[in-house]
Amino acid sequence: MPYVIGESVHIPTSKLGRGDEYPFSMTSATIREISDRSVKVDLRDGSISNEVPLSVVRKKLGILIIEIGDYKTEETLLTPLKKSILQFARLLLSDDYIMNYTIRTASELKYIWGDKHALISHLILVGHGDANSLLFGEDTIVKADELIQLLSTEQHVGEAKQIISL
């Protein structure tokens, strides 16, 4: 995906060489120079960074954590796992880039995804299932092909999503 000068992007602070000056592992910066495989961005002090590889530059960055509850184990297993992931995500990004929900039905997933998918780069699902399906609520099994349909949208939002299922 091509970048342009003046565009705001997200970069690991470790690539800027000044990690101690930034409160999170990822930071937003403005592109000032572009080459074939790297960019240079504005730093907080007004100077320009060293070259940052394009492989670590992202136009969009956001995490959506969804706990798929089941009443039996959500309080003792799923919710603590979701909270753990949320706390780790807060080390990487500010709360402005993190959303989390607890749902129990596939229709809730479809609604939230339709509303939030354009804002995020990473989807983390916390629930029960196996290699071929996810369990919603107590007894609703959603197979992989049905999940793909739930996550399908008519809009194209640029960068592909990273989907993590726990």
Side-chain angles (χ1 to χ4, degrees), residues 132 142-150:
N132 301 313
V142 175
K143 298 203 178 286
D145 59 336
E146 295 169 304
L147 181 62
I148 291 169
Q149 289 301 318
L150 284 172

Side-chain angles (χ1 to χ4, degrees), residues 3 12 24 41 57 59 75 77 87 89 91 116 136 141 148 155 158:
Y3 296 97
F24 299 101
V41 298
V57 177
K59 285 187 178 188
E75 287 304 314
L77 178 66
Q87 292 306 317
L91 295 174
K116 305 294 183 191
F136 284 77
I141 295 174
I148 291 169
Q155 303 160 334

Side-chain angles (χ1 to χ4, degrees), residues 61 64 165:
L61 187 61
L64 174 59
S165 177

Side-chain angles (χ1 to χ4, degrees), residues 4-104:
V4 296
I5 292 175
E7 182 175 29
S8 181
V9 294
H10 302 280
I11 295 176
T13 55
S14 63
K15 298 296 182 185
L16 299 177
R18 297 177 174 198
D20 293 344
E21 297 176 19
Y22 294 88
F24 299 101
S25 296
M26 296 293 288
T27 192
S28 180
T30 303
I31 295 176
R32 286 296 159 223
E33 295 180 26
I34 303 171
S35 68
D36 288 341
R37 295 184 171 189
S38 64
V39 295
K40 291 183 179 182
V41 298
D42 286 338
L43 297 174
R44 285 183 168 183
D45 65 5
S47 63
I48 295 177
S49 71
N50 293 328
E51 291 186 345
V52 177
L54 285 175
S55 61
V56 299
V57 177
R58 295 197 65 95
K59 285 187 178 188
K60 185 184 307 179
L61 187 61
I63 298 174
L64 174 59
I65 305 166
I66 297 181
E67 174 188 343
I68 304 170
D70 70 350
Y71 290 118
K72 289 180 186 173
T73 65
E74 64 188 32
E75 287 304 314
T76 58
L77 178 66
L78 299 177
T79 299
L81 179 56
K82 181 183 83 167
K83 286 181 180 178
S84 233
I85 293 165
L86 177 60
Q87 292 306 317
F88 181 77
R90 286 178 169 152
L91 295 174
L92 301 173
L93 300 166
S94 73
D95 281 344
D96 297 342
Y97 296 97
I98 303 167
M99 295 170 270
N100 78 87
Y101 294 89
T102 298
I103 64 171
R104 291 195 184 97

